[in-house]
Amino acid sequence: MALNGPKHDFFFLLDHFKYEEPDTSIQFTLLHDFDVIRPRPDGQPRQMCKTDTSKEAIMKAIENTMQSVPQGGKVVFYFGGHAMEGLDQAIVTGDGDLLSGPELKACLNNTLHHSVSVAAILDACHSGGSMALPYNYEEKCGGIRAKRVTRKKQEIPMIQISAARRGQQAYSNRFKDGFFGQLTWCLIQYLK
């Protein structure tokens, strides 16, 4: 099954964060399972060949990123694609393997500094609560309800934003700018 939303989301995020423009304050590690042709800032086309999106490659890229983040640094992990529900909810990697929420959380916790903060954004089905963070926050009766779901301590400041709860589907939709994951489109609108 092919997903159209993640490819459009990829371009949408690159445009929003001004990828390839001279700014050393933002560093990118891009993993994508499709070829991309994008214009450079000078207008010339640049081909970005698809990368290894296997479970091993994703875990290694996260490890390298987390080990290089300076004290007080901020990391955004974004995934758009398929996820599966099972004993542990998991994202489906490019090689068809599963990267479980607890495995993802362990990778993102593996940093040299406890002052590093992480926002994990999962625009995928069944992704809500997959990383087993101590609290789930949901909108209820016009307010926000916090529910403690585990007594385990979280090593570093981390938040997970998911497109769907466990057992729910995440959707892509046509917006005025194109076809996007609904969570991704709303997030970029908020950040503008």
Side-chain angles (χ1 to χ4, degrees):
M1 176 179 172
L3 294 175
N4 290 324
K7 187 179 256 187
H8 294 265
D9 293 348
F10 182 75
F11 295 126
F12 200 35
L13 290 164
L14 292 180
D15 289 343
H16 177 76
F17 289 107
K18 298 178 179 20
Y19 180 70
E20 289 198 323
E21 290 187 16
D23 178 357
T24 57
S25 67
I26 299 176
Q27 296 177 358
F28 294 88
T29 300
L30 303 175
L31 302 176
H32 47 93
D33 59 358
F34 46 85
D35 290 328
V36 176
I37 297 179
R38 287 186 51 81
R40 296 177 190 267
D42 64 7
Q44 295 297 314
R46 173 179 182 225
Q47 181 167 359
M48 298 167 63
C49 295
K50 71 180 185 175
T51 57
D52 183 359
T53 57
S54 66
K55 178 178 179 176
E56 182 180 336
I58 292 170
M59 292 177 75
K60 186 68 176 165
I62 294 170
E63 177 186 342
N64 291 341
T65 298
M66 297 309 294
Q67 291 299 304
S68 67
V69 177
Q71 192 165 345
K74 294 172 179 43
V75 173
V76 174
F77 172 84
Y78 171 86
F79 175 82
H82 284 298
M84 302 287 291
E85 185 176 22
L87 185 59
D88 283 327
Q89 295 136 289
I91 59 176
V92 181
T93 61
D95 59 354
D97 206 347
L98 301 178
L99 178 58
S100 74
E103 289 174 313
L104 178 58
K105 178 178 148 184
C107 290
L108 292 169
N109 273 323
N110 186 15
T111 181
L112 302 174
H113 311 287
H114 290 300
S115 61
V116 171
S117 59
V118 174
I121 302 165
L122 305 176
D123 199 346
C125 300
H126 317 295
S127 56
S130 60
M131 290 173 43
L133 296 175
Y135 291 93
N136 279 346
Y137 297 91
E138 295 183 0
E139 191 262 329
K140 184 130 182 160
C141 301
I144 302 296
R145 180 185 74 150
K147 178 183 174 189
R148 187 167 187 96
V149 293
T150 182
R151 294 271 178 218
K152 293 181 181 175
K153 187 175 185 321
Q154 173 54 37
E155 290 89 359
I156 62 172
M158 188 179 299
I159 186 170
Q160 176 184 345
I161 302 169
S162 299
R165 294 180 185 159
R166 177 187 282 264
Q168 284 186 332
Q169 300 292 314
Y171 293 97
S172 294
N173 208 339
R174 185 162 304 286
F175 295 96
K176 64 179 178 177
D177 301 332
F179 196 79
F180 305 101
Q182 288 181 260
L183 171 65
T184 302
W185 190 86
C186 290
L187 177 69
I188 295 298
Q189 298 312 304
Y190 174 78
L191 294 174
K192 285 184 177 180

